[in-house]
Amino acid sequence: MGGGAPAGGDFDALLTQTQNQGWRGLFKNGRALGLALFASLGGVLYGYNQGVFGQVQVMYNFEQRYLATFTNADLKGLVTAILELGAMVGALTAGPLADRYSRKYSVSGWCIIFMIGTIVQCAANSSVACIYAGRFIAGLGVGALSMLVPMYNAELAPPGIRGSLVALQQLAITFGILVSYWIAYGTNFIGGTKEGQSQAAWRVPLALQLVPGIILAIGACFLPFSPRWLMLKGREEESLETLARLRNGDPSSAEVQYEFRALQAERLVEQEAAKERYGQSEVNLRVNLLEYKRLLTTKPLLHRLMLGAGAQALQQWTGINAIIYYAPTIFESIGLTGGTIGLLATGVVGIVNFVFTIPAVLFVDNFGRKPILAWGEANMAISHAVVAAIIATNGPDFENKKAGNAAVFMIYWYIANFAVTWGPLAWVVSAEVFPLEMRAKGMSISSATNWLMNFTVAMVTPHMIDNIGYKTYIVFMVFCIVGFIYAVFILPELKGLSLEEVDRVFNDDTGAEDRARRERIAKQIGLDKVAADIVHQEKPHANGEATHMA
Ligand code: BGC
């Protein structure tokens, strides 16, 4: 890198090289890790909501009270799916509000909205309208947190560990799902599992979400502001102080100065680009909307957006949430009758999902994206095919216990494969396909796509199970094959590439203009000199531990 600012103006690249990366880096950055873990309560809420309702809606008391009267499968599906619709709206609106009111107060605010939704559900009288409304409102909060928390974490962390933070979020989600399953499994017994069942059986697991909600809503107010947000607001001094505190370093140390100046440069780059493109240097709502327009109408950018949003859509169409939401129903359909056995089997889904996310988190950066994604789709397609075949030959009464067990095993195999591959990687891919200046906007559209598809799958699955039975799995199998083709033939390998290399892969130069601007501004504010200092400091440690700031 010749001792200057990293080529292409990738301000993070230098520190990524000189710091401990991945999980090693996480543990070396105790403070950032602690804060990220706390903020990841948002991911736990996300997962809890993904998991809890599948359990609640097969509880006798809940079914009798709300669902028994439904003749329409759409209304039934919507009780689950409406949360995802709210989440999509939340994910799309959270970004601009977070720019205005800060990341941390946004986290607090959306937590309060989430809690209002939860209270409406818990206190629902005999009208199912409260459940719909409560789930929609809670969804707004969950969707907003699903993008705010990773964004806050990434802005707090040193560059070398940002990738691992994506995986940390996925681990938090799967932990939330796991906990929700087992809590609901336990509360299902309150008052018995049939006629005698108490309302508490379903009200308690819904109400328990308030505990992490309150902790996060209050705790977020005491978190530091994101240094990037402070810079965005022109509060440069505070930004520098916060960075120094986060890195346990001195404000004048080369590393802290480098990160600080990189933030400064980032802001200047945005302002200059806005001035050139739209005639104003204030990056306000108008500029943001015009940038969204550019993303949607410039061919090479649109191509990347299709790949990123495509990864998210395909993740949902693997059928993961058909299983997460309807596992108890699915297990019943393959012979695990007697309510609680289905719930127990579902609890195991939660464990498998969580446990198999751990290796993904540890090794996410050691392998290429394409082979992992292809492996995942191939195995998920096989699982769907086998489950379909077993149900086709044994259903609908399912006397054959062995066949039932084989189907259950295949569902676990499916979950394990999802957890190590598409679970975290869809999020990683949908971040790394975008040029830096479009990353936040690209990701907000990609995550909204994830929620929209999540909603669609939740809506159509009960219909498919009722009307086409085992062929439901064939539908998901076909999507897994499409995902396999995407992984092998459509998605370029992006692991470990620099920003220019990614541009070259996409054969476009949309990023070139911004890169040139970045390089020039980096020079202007002396970023290259600080970079040279760091490289100089690193030399004596050439093949040992890199000097790090903690
Ligand atoms: C997906 C969720 C899913 C979860 C399961 C996430 O990556 O986006 O929709 O419920 O994984 O672990």
Side-chain angles (χ1 to χ4, degrees), residues 16 26 58 93 116 148 170 179 250 274 283 293 304-305 321 380 384 397-398 416 419 423-424 454-455 472 480 520 545:
T16 309
L26 269 184
V58 295
T93 42
I116 295 173
L148 281 175
Q170 180 69 14
V179 171
D250 192 275
V283 185
K293 189 170 158 216
R304 297 183 189 216
L305 180 63
N321 287 314
M380 289 189 279
H384 282 310
D397 298 330
F398 240 100
N454 191 334
F455 169 76
T472 307
C480 287
R520 180 169 41 73
E545 292 280 295

Side-chain angles (χ1 to χ4, degrees), residues 441-519:
K441 295 193 171 57
M443 283 190 74
S444 83
I445 297 185
S446 307
S447 1
T449 309
N450 181 292
W451 285 112
L452 182 65
M453 292 301 134
N454 191 334
F455 169 76
T456 315
V457 171
M459 280 303 285
V460 300
T461 301
H463 272 297
M464 292 203 292
I465 293 179
D466 283 355
N467 296 320
I468 57 171
Y470 74 89
K471 293 187 193 121
T472 307
Y473 299 92
I474 305 278
V475 171
F476 290 130
M477 182 196 79
V478 170
F479 277 107
C480 287
I481 295 173
V482 175
F484 181 83
I485 295 171
Y486 165 93
V488 176
F489 299 108
I490 302 179
L491 182 74
E493 184 56 79
L494 299 174
K495 181 197 162 271
L497 298 190
S498 73
L499 295 169
E500 296 98 316
E501 285 164 340
V502 172
D503 280 0
R504 224 170 294 135
V505 165
F506 282 110
N507 205 6
D508 85 49
D509 58 357
T510 30
E513 192 187 322
D514 283 274
R515 276 204 314 274
R517 188 177 292 122
R518 278 159 185 279
E519 270 178 66

